Structure formats: structure tokens, C-alpha cells
């Protein structure tokens, strides 16, 4: 009988001991409630004691939590409708205030989502589309984080970060913008082609002018060179003639015979007493005096006709 009572007492003590001990993990923080009223906060990991039946423990996550939002469609400062996909990360820094205001994480997510949407609409309403997607995206996200964190402090929450995954235009607006961008690129291409054609015409005109100048200068130089050559040739001929006039006259006559009596259909009508044939009559080239007057290359002694065969 006594052993049975002792066993019951041991069981009761074990149950009371089990109900009096609670353990806080490193990823948790706990509130000790007595009849619904907060009497203690446990933020460090380890085992703790509480009064059974009249006290209970509420655990809260100590880690950084994520808040995913559905796509939002705010309007930017340049009157463009955007499709924004954002998320936030936060943690519970004041478990007492968190429990008093929202009590649990799902409720906190709903409250925080409302704050984030309001801050996003407000900040993006002051920001242009270009600043959001290119110029100052990090600054916009930091402004949103500070605004949400200031409002979330009343819930015992600290907002660690706010990120905008995607910020695009709606499909209809995107197509219109793409069409306008294509038109602008085509206009720029047309202007570039026109400028290129103008530059090409200038280059061709300059090249034609330079070519004309070069050809004219080359012709001038060639004429000068040819004139110098002719002068030098005449000088040489004059010197040769002065050195031996008889031989020079003979040489010139031989050249005239070679050119004038070349085979062909050329006919020469000359006076037999013409000086052209003086070397045929006399090797020294002394022409006989004309017998009578010489009229137009013919004399009284008759004419001679030669045909080069």
C-alpha cells in the first residue's frame, strides 16, 4: 500500500517537474505568462523553470524572418504605372511589445505587409521610373526600409532590409515604350546615315578637287620638263650645227628622205631642181641654180612625180 502511494507521489512529482521546466533554443526567445499576463522574458538559450498550471510559455523566433508581398502596381512620379515585386526581412527585437501588439507571426506579416505597401506607394510616387530601375534604386530601397522600420518599431519589429526584385512596366505600356524606342532608334539611324552621306560627299568633293589640282600640277610640271627637253634638244642641235653645218645638213636630209620616201601611198610632186634632191645630184649637196623663175615649187624645166612604193 505504501509502495503504491509512493509510486503515485513520484509520478506526480515527475509530472510537476516536467511541467515546471521549459527550454529555450538558440533560435528562440520566450515569454512567461501567468494567467495571461507577461511576467518574464527569456532571450538567452537554456533551461528555465515556471509554475505549472498557472504559468505558460510563448515562444517567438529569434531569427531573421522573410515577408513576401504580392506584386504591387504603384504610379511613379513621371505618371508611369509600374509592376513592383518586393520583399522584406525583419526580426523581433521586443518580444513583449510584439506579443502585446500582434501576438504571432502571421498577424505581424499582415500588419507589416500593409506598412510596406503604403511606404512603397508613397516613395515610388516621389521617384521617377529611370531613378528606380537605373539611377538610384539602392537609395529608393533604403528610404522605404527606414520608413517601414520606423512604423514597425511600434510592433516590436526591426526591418533589416527591403528589396525590390522586379520593377517593370505593364505589358501594354512596355509594348508602347518599345515601339517609341524603336522609332527613336530609326530616327537616329536616319540622321546618322544622312550625316554619313554628307561627310562622304564632302570627302569625295575634296578628293576630286585634290585630284584635279594634282593632275594640273603634273601636267604643268610635264610641260615644263618637255619644254626644258625641247630647249636642250634645240641647244644640242644648234651646237651640232655650229660644229659642222655641212654634216648636219646632210644628216637632216637623210632623215627627211627616210620619212618622206617611206613605202606607202604618199605622192610627192616636186620640181626636179628642188633643193630636196640636192644630195641625189651631188654628194656634197650643192644644188644647181634654177633655170628660170621658181613658182610654187615648179620650174620651166618640168616637174617630177615620185610615189613611194
Amino acid at each position: 500500500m505504501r509502495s503504491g502511494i509512493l509510486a503515485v507521489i513520484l509520478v506526480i512529482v515527475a509530472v510537476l517537474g516536467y511541467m515546471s521546466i521549459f527550454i529555450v533554443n538558440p533560435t528562440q526567445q520566450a515569454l512567461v505568462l501567468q494567467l495571461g499576463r507577461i511576467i518574464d522574458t527569456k532571450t538567452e538559450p537554456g533551461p528555465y523553470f515556471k509554475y505549472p498550471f498557472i504559468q505558460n510559455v510563448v515562444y517567438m523566433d529569434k531569427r531573421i524572418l522573410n515577408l513576401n508581398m504580392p506584386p504591387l502596381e504603384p504610379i511613379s512620379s513621371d505618371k508611369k504605372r509600374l509592376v513592383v515585386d518586393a520583399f522584406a526581412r525583419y526580426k523581433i527585437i521586443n518580444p513583449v511589445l510584439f506579443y502585446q501588439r500582434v501576438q504571432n507571426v502571421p498577424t505581424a506579416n499582415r500588419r507589416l505587409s500593409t506598412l510596406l505597401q503604403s511606404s512603397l506607394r508613397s516613395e515610388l510616387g516621389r521617384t521617377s521610373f529611370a531613378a528606380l530601375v537605373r539611377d538610384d534604386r539602392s537609395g529608393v530601397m533604403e528610404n522605404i526600409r527606414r520608413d517601414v522600420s520606423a512604423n514597425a518599431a511600434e510592433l516590436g519589429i526591426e526591418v533589416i532590409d527591403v528589396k525590390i526584385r522586379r520593377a517593370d512596366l505593364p505589358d501594354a505600356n512596355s509594348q508602347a515604350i518599345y515601339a517609341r524606342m524603336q522609332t527613336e532608334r530609326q530616327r537616329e539611324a536616319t540622321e546618322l546615315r544622312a550625316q554619313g552621306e554628307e561627310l562622304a560627299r564632302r570627302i569625295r568633293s575634296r578628293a576630286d578637287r585634290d585630284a584635279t589640282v594634282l593632275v594640273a600640277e603634273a601636267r604643268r610640271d610635264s610641260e615644263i620638263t618637255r619644254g626644258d627637253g625641247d630647249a636642250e634638244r634645240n641647244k644640242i642641235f644648234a651646237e651640232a650645227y655650229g660644229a659642222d653645218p655641212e654634216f648636219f645638213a646632210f644628216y637632216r636630209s637623210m632623215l627627211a628622205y627616210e620619212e618622206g620616201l617611206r613605202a606607202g601611198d604618199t605622192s610627192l610632186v616636186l620640181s626636179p631642181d628642188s633643193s630636196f634632191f640636192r644630195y641625189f645630184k651631188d654628194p656634197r649637196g650643192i644644188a644647181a641654180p634654177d633655170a628660170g623663175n621658181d613658182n610654187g615649187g615648179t620650174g620651166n624645166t618640168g616637174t617630177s612625180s615620185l610615189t613611194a612604193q
Side-chain angles (χ1 to χ4, degrees):
M1 184 67 180
R2 291 182 178 178
S3 60
I5 295 174
L6 181 60
V8 172
I9 293 174
L10 290 177
V11 170
I12 293 174
V13 170
V15 171
L16 291 176
Y18 176 77
M19 297 180 62
S20 300
I21 298 174
F22 67 95
I23 298 174
V24 178
N25 294 327
T27 60
Q28 293 177 330
Q29 50 191 340
L31 294 178
V32 180
L33 305 181
Q34 182 173 322
L35 302 177
R37 183 169 58 88
I38 300 174
I39 62 172
D40 197 4
T41 302
K42 305 297 182 182
T43 58
E44 297 298 327
Y48 295 96
F49 295 93
K50 66 179 179 65
Y51 294 111
F53 303 112
I54 63 171
Q55 292 183 348
N56 64 303
V57 178
V58 176
Y59 294 97
M60 298 179 185
D61 208 323
K62 200 175 183 179
R63 296 170 296 182
I64 295 176
L65 304 176
N66 292 326
L67 172 64
N68 293 313
M69 289 182 53
L72 189 67
E73 293 190 5
I75 298 177
S76 62
S77 62
D78 47 1
K79 307 304 178 183
K80 293 181 180 179
R81 184 176 295 277
L82 308 176
V83 178
V84 178
D85 185 9
F87 70 95
R89 293 185 295 178
Y90 68 95
K91 67 178 180 178
I92 302 171
I93 59 173
N94 191 333
V96 175
L97 188 59
F98 179 85
Y99 182 79
Q100 291 174 345
R101 297 297 174 88
V102 293
Q103 292 190 348
N104 52 55
V105 172
T107 305
N109 285 342
R110 289 194 295 270
R111 294 283 299 275
L112 195 59
S113 178
T114 302
L115 295 175
L116 182 56
Q117 290 184 16
S118 176
S119 181
L120 275 170
R121 292 183 184 276
S122 177
E123 182 64 26
L124 295 182
R126 299 190 296 268
T127 305
S128 65
F129 178 68
L132 176 61
V133 300
R134 182 187 61 193
D135 298 336
D136 193 24
R137 186 164 184 163
S138 59
V140 171
M141 291 187 295
E142 178 60 22
N143 292 338
I144 296 172
R145 188 201 66 80
R146 285 199 301 263
D147 184 60
V148 175
S149 183
N151 294 323
E154 300 177 356
L155 306 177
I157 294 173
E158 179 186 5
V159 178
I160 304 300
D161 196 9
V162 173
K163 293 294 184 182
I164 297 177
R165 291 194 188 95
R166 182 175 63 94
D168 295 326
L169 296 170
D171 293 339
N173 293 0
S174 298
Q175 294 300 327
I177 290 177
Y178 294 153
R180 184 169 68 251
M181 291 173 62
Q182 183 179 6
T183 302
E184 291 177 354
R185 298 294 87 77
Q186 290 176 350
R187 178 180 56 80
E188 292 177 0
T190 302
E191 291 180 358
L192 290 176
R193 290 193 188 96
Q195 294 174 1
E197 290 294 334
E198 181 181 1
L199 184 59
R201 285 195 295 270
R202 291 181 181 177
I203 294 174
R204 283 195 291 267
S205 176
R206 189 181 301 112
D208 293 341
R209 182 192 62 190
D210 294 342
T212 302
V213 172
L214 289 174
V215 171
E217 291 178 350
R219 288 178 179 174
R220 180 198 62 193
D221 295 341
S222 66
E223 293 296 333
I224 292 174
T225 302
R226 187 178 292 110
D228 294 341
D230 291 341
E232 185 67 19
R233 182 192 63 181
N234 295 334
K235 178 181 177 183
I236 293 173
F237 280 148
E239 291 177 354
Y241 181 78
D244 192 346
E246 294 181 358
F247 175 78
F248 185 77
F250 174 77
Y251 176 72
R252 293 296 297 273
S253 296
M254 293 301 103
L255 292 179
Y257 294 156
E258 181 181 3
E259 294 293 330
L261 302 179
R262 185 173 295 174
D265 296 333
T266 304
S267 297
L268 298 177
V269 180
L270 300 172
S271 172
D273 298 330
S274 174
S275 61
F276 183 74
F277 298 109
R278 65 183 183 275
Y279 284 101
F280 284 87
K281 298 177 181 181
D282 189 345
R284 294 174 299 172
I286 300 175
D290 294 338
N293 295 329
D294 187 4
N295 296 320
T298 60
N300 295 328
T301 59
T303 61
S304 174
S305 176
L306 294 178
T307 302
Q309 300 295 331

